[in-house]
Amino acid sequence: MKSYLAAAIQMTSVPELEKNLAQAEELIDLAVRQGAELVGLPENFPYMGEDKDKLAQAEAIAYKTEAFLQTMAQRYQITILGGGFPIPVEGTGKVYNTALLVDPNGQELSRYRKVHLFDVNVPDGNTYRESSTVMAGTELPSVYADELLGNIGLSVCYDVRFPELYRHMSSKGVDVIFVPAAFTAFTGKDHWQVLLQARAIENTSYIIAPAQTGLNYNRRQTHGHAMIIDPWGVILADAGEKPGVAIAEINPSRLEQVRRQMPSLQHRIF
């Protein structure tokens, strides 16, 4: 593993696929011009809209998004994460919320289907029933071992509230964990940062958390603050509340230092 720059992209995705992909490309270009070699896009980056509209377009979204990720990876010679997009599940009328990691050759490295679905009545009056259109994944995320970028684990948004998923990745030797999200503005202001820091600290791993921000459609408002956090829980980069990019160094020496100073992973009983 080497030292390199990673980017967590922050978007305001809307119910227009082509417009979102154009926005994503601009921000990828911005990240690469600043030296990023590992780039993460947020959950729902190619489409955020009403569930019925998402389902109606799911096949096109899935096809165009996978092609887009391959093209971006090859064009910019980066490893890229598409942090969550719908892929139809045959015969169900539902989709998997899928995160896809692609290498600079356009080859798939890792695929994760979100297992924890956001079925919540948020105190701001909004109700979310992700399970009405999304099929829960049934497999824990794998950890992809990259010789240069480290051991990379995938998760999506609501997963961040379930530490056992990250413990699983830790047991597989994870160094860098993606948490792409479309966190609600109401919950995000109190929970987003502290949950990300907790996952970084308890697993002594880097966290890369791309995010949605602003008003996406109707009353759907997201929190923003895409972040990169080091294994000690230090916030290295925060994209704030507008579309943009959070960029920071992923440093194997820092990983080793923190794990030496706080060897909690070696002390686990369960």
Side-chain angles (χ1 to χ4, degrees):
M1 182 181 177
K2 65 171 187 176
S3 291
Y4 61 93
L5 293 180
I9 286 179
Q10 182 156 289
M11 297 177 60
T12 302
S13 295
V14 295
E16 297 177 55
L17 174 61
E18 298 301 335
K19 185 174 181 179
N20 294 328
L21 295 183
Q23 181 189 176
E25 184 171 350
E26 286 182 12
L27 292 169
I28 292 166
D29 183 76
L30 176 62
V32 171
R33 281 191 280 113
Q34 294 181 55
E37 297 181 54
L38 178 63
V39 176
L41 292 159
E43 184 185 28
N44 300 330
F45 75 93
Y47 191 89
M48 273 195 79
E50 299 291 351
D51 285 342
K52 60 179 175 55
D53 299 326
K54 177 185 72 177
L55 287 180
Q57 301 176 56
E59 197 166 322
I61 294 170
Y63 177 79
K64 290 186 178 181
T65 299
E66 290 204 36
F68 172 81
L69 292 171
Q70 293 167 353
T71 298
M72 292 297 100
Q74 291 173 319
R75 178 181 300 166
Y76 291 104
Q77 285 298 290
I78 54 172
T79 299
I80 189 167
L81 177 80
F85 60 97
I87 294 184
V89 185
E90 190 173 350
T92 68
K94 295 187 176 184
V95 298
Y96 284 123
N97 187 344
T98 306
L100 185 64
L101 188 67
V102 177
D103 76 6
N105 294 317
Q107 299 299 308
E108 177 180 325
L109 298 178
S110 185
R111 181 180 295 247
Y112 166 66
R113 295 164 172 167
K114 186 180 181 184
V115 299
H116 298 107
L117 303 184
F118 192 58
D119 289 359
V120 177
N121 298 320
V122 178
D124 65 358
N126 285 321
T127 294
Y128 301 91
R129 289 288 177 270
E130 189 175 16
S131 65
S132 67
T133 59
V134 177
M135 184 83 70
T138 57
E139 297 180 6
L140 288 167
S142 59
V143 173
Y144 179 77
D146 189 292
E147 186 176 327
L148 298 178
L149 305 180
N151 298 331
I152 302 172
L154 309 183
S155 64
V156 177
C157 199
Y158 191 47
D159 283 334
V160 77
R161 295 181 182 272
F162 300 88
E164 58 273 16
L165 184 143
Y166 299 88
R167 248 341 184 217
H168 164 77
M169 287 191 269
S170 178
S171 72
K172 302 294 183 183
V174 76
D175 300 314
V176 178
I177 300 171
F178 274 108
V179 190
F183 235 69
T184 71
F186 187 90
T187 56
K189 62 184 173 58
D190 295 322
H191 294 167
W192 172 244
Q193 178 179 316
V194 70
L195 284 167
L196 293 174
Q197 287 177 298
R199 300 295 86 86
I201 293 166
E202 69 198 8
N203 297 297
T204 52
S205 296
Y206 280 96
I207 297 287
I208 303 174
Q212 291 284 348
T213 192
L215 185 62
N216 303 97
Y217 65 95
N218 294 341
R219 293 175 60 197
R220 182 71 160 98
Q221 191 159 0
T222 43
H223 175 64
H225 294 280
M227 291 184 181
I228 299 179
I229 299 174
D230 90 348
W232 192 255
V234 175
I235 297 170
L236 301 178
D238 181 338
E241 297 179 356
K242 295 181 179 180
V245 181
I247 291 187
E249 183 184 27
I250 306 298
N251 189 328
S253 297
R254 178 61 170 161
L255 268 174
E256 293 167 10
Q257 177 193 31
V258 171
R259 290 173 177 177
R260 186 171 61 249
Q261 291 174 337
M262 184 58 66
S264 56
L265 295 180
Q266 299 174 31
H267 299 155
R268 284 179 297 178
I269 304 300
F270 303 106

